[in-house]
Amino acid sequence: MTFWNNFLNPLSLDIGMDLGTANTLVYVKGRGVVLNEPSVVAIDQQTKKPIKVGAEARAMLGRTPESIEAIRPLKEGVIADFRASQMMIAYFLSKAQPRRNFIARTRIVIGVPSGITQVEERIVRETAEKAGTGFRTEVTLLPEPLAAAIGAGLPVLEPTGNMIVDIGGGTTEVAVISLGRIVASESLSVAGDNLNDAITQYIRKVHNLIIGERTAEDIKIQIGSAWAVKQEQVMTIKGLHINTGLPSALQISSLEIREALQEPLKAIADCVHRTLEKSPPELAADIMDRGIVLAGGGAMLSGLDQMLSQLSQVPVHVAEQPMLCVALGTGRILEELTRVKASSWSGMLGFRQA
């Protein structure tokens, strides 16, 4: 009876997705954010099938034999490996959907970079459609800065200037929003991954030590900062010494890491400055009063709000849940679509549907 009940009363599954370079978050209508996992897939080179996806695959980065390859299928916020991305999205959707239910229609709202090309947009759409569950899958694309602003609780539909800086793993999205539209924006391919690379290169150049991607990220999270801190910290790191080729350990300070991060952080600050310059005077005045809001995983870097505020001479605030902003934004759109006509929101927010 359960099967026939599910078949005769099919479910409609509404999902919001932050398809990020570093992490993928999934929002299910009525349940909130149900999944937050690394955008990594471990693939068996012989069968070309995924062995692990998400957190378990991330643990394999840099530690796999030749027969297994752990990859990140997204680069700079867009799909670089079509097949691996489809496997990953299908896996995440299967984890998010209710068990033992017949899904008639799946509606997916995906946050994408504002600077995405038509070709990249088509790839994202086709990948999501093929990975979708149920008989019919509808895919709607929403610019990431707009989704982040909605998720951060900014009044995007009002005639006031709202500025969002969404720092993800592969891209930094800066946008000024008013009346549900992006008025001025810039998409920069400098973000969290570049901060990790800067740390890796600094330690290699200054200390002759080779470290992995995960170690660099751990350093950034634990002692990384963009602005001077009250008490400098020290961390012991391990890697391979260039000269001897043997495992080696050393202590590195937060002061050194701050120095290593200056170049990519300056690029982000310059991007914010350029976007402010492109803003209409009235909206710029609103931003002076309301401030700039930081979202994305990169917003959690210690002192980043202070650095950007000092350089832009504008108040800067970190969103309450910066990592979840894009996913929460797509989720709010899904919730609102039950109360107002989809065409109304589509026109107001500039949705891109098939």
Side-chain angles (χ1 to χ4, degrees):
M1 285 294 294
T2 303
F3 170 79
W4 287 110
N5 285 338
N6 290 336
F7 185 81
L8 295 173
N9 299 284
L11 289 179
S12 173
L13 186 63
D14 291 335
I15 289 177
M17 182 176 289
D18 176 6
L19 191 60
T21 305
N23 291 80
T24 294
L25 291 84
V26 176
Y27 181 106
V28 176
K29 182 180 172 183
R31 293 167 57 197
V33 177
V34 299
L35 184 143
N36 180 0
E37 293 205 33
S39 302
V40 184
V41 182
I43 299 175
D44 187 312
Q45 292 295 80
Q46 295 182 336
T47 63
K48 301 300 181 183
K49 293 182 178 180
I51 300 172
K52 299 290 182 182
V53 179
E56 293 180 328
R58 183 181 182 274
M60 296 181 176
L61 283 171
R63 296 173 175 168
T64 58
E66 291 185 3
S67 60
I68 300 173
E69 184 181 14
I71 63 171
R72 296 171 64 179
L74 286 96
K75 184 178 181 182
E76 297 181 1
V78 295
I79 291 171
D81 189 315
F82 184 90
R83 181 175 172 80
S85 297
Q86 185 180 330
M87 294 174 182
M88 183 181 73
I89 295 172
Y91 174 79
F92 289 151
L93 289 178
S94 69
K95 287 190 70 174
Q97 74 180 39
R99 300 292 181 184
R100 297 182 299 277
N101 285 111
F102 177 75
I103 307 296
R105 178 186 59 78
T106 302
R107 179 166 55 191
I108 307 176
V109 176
I110 303 178
V112 294
S114 58
I116 192 172
T117 66
Q118 288 187 341
V119 173
E120 292 167 339
E121 182 180 319
R122 179 173 54 81
I123 291 173
V124 173
R125 192 187 303 281
E126 289 179 359
T127 302
E129 287 173 349
K130 290 182 179 179
T133 56
F135 282 155
R136 186 160 58 100
T137 299
E138 301 172 6
V139 179
T140 300
L141 305 184
L142 183 66
E144 276 181 1
L146 189 52
I150 294 170
L154 297 181
V156 298
L157 297 181
E158 294 181 8
T160 57
N162 301 279
M163 188 167 191
I164 188 85
V165 179
D166 179 25
I167 307 171
T171 60
T172 294
E173 300 282 329
V174 184
V176 174
I177 301 166
S178 179
L179 290 171
R181 294 283 185 169
I182 295 176
V183 179
S185 69
E186 189 161 331
S187 183
L188 182 71
S189 58
V190 175
D193 288 347
N194 300 88
L195 299 180
N196 297 343
D197 291 342
I199 292 172
T200 301
Q201 295 302 320
Y202 178 88
I203 293 173
R204 182 186 182 110
K205 181 179 178 180
V206 176
H207 296 285
N208 294 321
L209 191 73
I210 302 173
I211 61 171
E213 179 185 335
R214 290 190 62 189
T215 300
E217 186 166 8
D218 289 340
I219 294 169
K220 179 182 69 177
I221 293 170
Q222 293 185 38
I223 64 171
S225 63
W227 198 250
V229 294
K230 291 182 179 179
Q231 186 174 357
E232 300 293 347
Q233 296 175 288
V234 175
M235 179 179 177
T236 300
I237 61 173
K238 300 172 183 178
L240 286 176
H241 200 281
I242 292 177
N243 296 333
T244 65
L246 298 174
S248 181
L250 64 86
Q251 284 194 325
I252 190 122
S253 71
S254 54
L255 181 63
E256 287 185 273
I257 299 305
R258 189 159 60 251
E259 180 185 339
L261 296 176
Q262 288 308 299
E263 187 175 340
L265 289 177
K266 185 180 183 304
I268 293 173
D270 289 344
C271 182
V272 172
H273 189 194
R274 288 193 299 271
T275 308
L276 279 170
E277 286 182 331
K278 291 188 288 185
S279 304
E282 294 297 333
L283 297 185
D286 291 339
I287 294 167
M288 281 292 295
D289 294 333
R290 306 170 67 90
I292 299 168
V293 176
L294 302 184
M300 295 187 287
L301 180 69
S302 176
L304 181 58
D305 53 342
Q306 293 171 276
M307 186 203 83
L308 291 177
S309 179
Q310 182 71 20
L311 294 177
S312 65
Q313 296 298 300
V314 176
V316 178
H317 318 284
V318 179
E320 187 176 342
Q321 295 177 293
M323 190 87 171
L324 306 183
C325 282
V326 173
L328 291 173
T330 60
R332 186 184 167 197
I333 294 300
L334 289 168
E335 302 289 351
E336 291 290 343
L337 286 176
T338 64
R339 292 191 284 272
V340 297
K341 291 182 179 180
S343 59
S344 170
W345 275 80
S346 298
M348 198 170 290
L349 295 175
F351 276 3
R352 297 199 285 266
Q353 293 180 301

